[in-house]
Amino acid sequence: MDIRDLIDSAEIKYRRILEEFFSSLWGETTLYSHDINHHRRVWQYVKEILLLQPDKEDEPEKLLMASYFHDLGMVSEPGFRHGARGRELFAEFLRTRNLFPDDFADVLEAIEHHDDKEYRNYAVDHNRILKILSVADDLDAFGYAGIYRYLEIYIARGISLTNVGHEIRENADSRFRNFRKGFRKYPEFFSRHRKRYHIIDSFMSAYNAQIGDSHADDYNENMEYQIVSMVSEMVKRGINPSGIKELCHDPGIRPGIRDFLDRLDNELNQHK
């Protein structure tokens, strides 16, 4: 069966069930950077990778499951152990479907270890589900959506606005190097996502320069600083980013910020 047919078959068989299970657990959790739309986007990136690198027939089903469970653990554990919690939740899902955990050992392992961004885990080299999931998750950390997503989770974890730009650049660079290692042999695919990486890297580089400029008289003149402050306030107040589109029509918003918000809204909602 063609890889596109296998992907379609996996979606028909499991996607609605997975989304219902996810939504029943996620509920009103206010961590929008890792809500169901993030998991939908990761699945879209997984599909792009599968079209480049098709292999086993059971992979689309397994990767669809992994895509929808990899960050579900954040419903109760927003820190670095959310993968372990997600593994527990996936094991619970398997039981509800009368599926055998031994048949999904690679998926369980992928969910637990997908957030190891030092890429030193032995399992990555021996678990293709983990390798693909990890890269797809990395791709959703780039671009305008990546800027928002990083800011929300890092602020939620207590990283200061003074340090957040440096932390983001370091983590995003690690993700990009891992992506480059595995995908630069696909020029069109690699080039498209390299541009998305440069969006977040350039943004945070400018922000870091503004924060570090002891001679700056008024940070409010700097677009990146204003955007980070705006997102920070949204996170603190638990405001859903779905309202960002409305800000674009505010006559007091600078054109550069309006353009950023419009692009962010498009990326966050492109796979709803």
Side-chain angles (χ1 to χ4, degrees), residues 74-233:
M74 285 195 176
V75 71
S76 59
E77 174 49 73
F80 295 104
R81 286 188 49 77
H82 68 272
R85 178 60 181 141
R87 178 183 180 130
E88 294 171 359
L89 294 173
F90 182 59
E92 179 183 328
F93 171 80
L94 293 175
R95 286 192 292 272
T96 68
R97 308 303 301 177
N98 295 316
L99 298 171
F100 296 103
D102 287 350
D103 293 337
F104 296 89
D106 48 357
V107 183
L108 288 160
E109 184 178 56
I111 292 168
E112 181 172 4
H113 297 291
H114 75 278
D115 206 38
D116 172 20
K117 298 312 173 187
E118 294 184 357
Y119 307 99
R120 296 175 183 172
N121 193 312
Y122 172 82
V124 174
D125 294 328
H126 300 272
N127 184 338
R128 200 173 121 89
I129 302 298
L130 172 56
K131 186 177 291 187
I132 293 175
L133 175 65
S134 183
V135 170
D137 189 38
D138 290 346
L139 292 179
D140 201 43
F142 301 157
Y144 296 93
I147 293 169
Y148 174 85
R149 294 188 60 244
Y150 263 119
L151 287 171
E152 186 188 63
I153 191 61
Y154 277 28
I155 290 168
R157 289 174 176 171
I159 297 175
S160 72
L161 294 187
T162 302
N163 295 324
V164 71
H166 299 288
E167 296 277 352
I168 290 173
R169 285 194 77 201
E170 182 177 348
N171 188 275
D173 178 66
S174 179
R175 291 175 187 255
F176 177 71
R177 283 187 281 110
N178 180 63
F179 168 63
R180 181 177 58 197
K181 181 173 66 175
F183 290 90
R184 57 187 164 189
K185 60 184 175 182
Y186 304 102
E188 183 178 347
F189 181 73
F190 177 70
S191 176
R192 175 155 50 89
H193 292 295
R194 178 176 56 189
K195 290 176 183 176
R196 297 181 58 247
Y197 162 71
H198 284 308
I199 288 170
I200 188 168
D201 187 64
S202 298
F203 181 96
M204 290 302 163
S205 179
Y207 174 74
N208 290 339
Q210 293 159 19
I211 285 289
D213 185 1
S214 60
H215 300 292
D217 295 324
D218 187 357
Y219 284 138
N220 289 331
E221 292 300 315
N222 298 311
M223 184 184 74
E224 290 80 9
Y225 182 87
Q226 283 189 296
I227 290 170
V228 172
S229 298
M230 185 184 301
V231 173
S232 175
E233 195 62 26

